Amino acid sequence: MTAINELFRLDGKVALVTGGYGGIGEAVCRGLGTMGAKIAIAGHNAARGAAFAKTLQSEGNDAWATAFEATSVFRYAADGR
């Protein structure tokens, strides 16, 4: 029987996690990293994102962070851009 971890490997994939530096987002990032994903952390607080990306890197994950405000995407979409 194949282990569940082998069925859901994410090697070579990039996971974008909005709000990935707080609470549930941290657990999601760690879980995705365990499955082999590269982790892109996006959120409005660039410093917190960068600090958590550094923590993930120290744990052996490929992770980085960027400042991103999700609500601005919806504003652009509403304007038809």
Side-chain angles (χ1 to χ4, degrees):
M1 179 182 287
T2 304
I4 192 79
N5 288 357
E6 293 176 30
L7 294 173
F8 295 101
R9 292 297 308 168
L10 297 171
D11 300 300
K13 306 289 184 191
V14 176
L16 173 64
V17 183
T18 58
Y21 49 77
I24 294 170
E26 286 187 17
V28 169
C29 287
R30 284 194 166 98
L32 291 166
T34 297
M35 299 311 294
K38 297 175 183 179
I39 307 156
I41 303 164
H44 64 276
N45 189 319
R48 283 184 63 195
F52 186 55
K54 189 174 256 190
T55 298
L56 290 172
Q57 291 166 357
S58 73
E59 295 171 358
N61 294 292
D62 187 356
W64 65 96
T66 187
F68 176 76
E69 179 56 51
T71 58
S72 64
V73 173
F74 297 117
R75 274 185 261 142
Y76 285 115
D79 291 342
R81 296 183 199 172

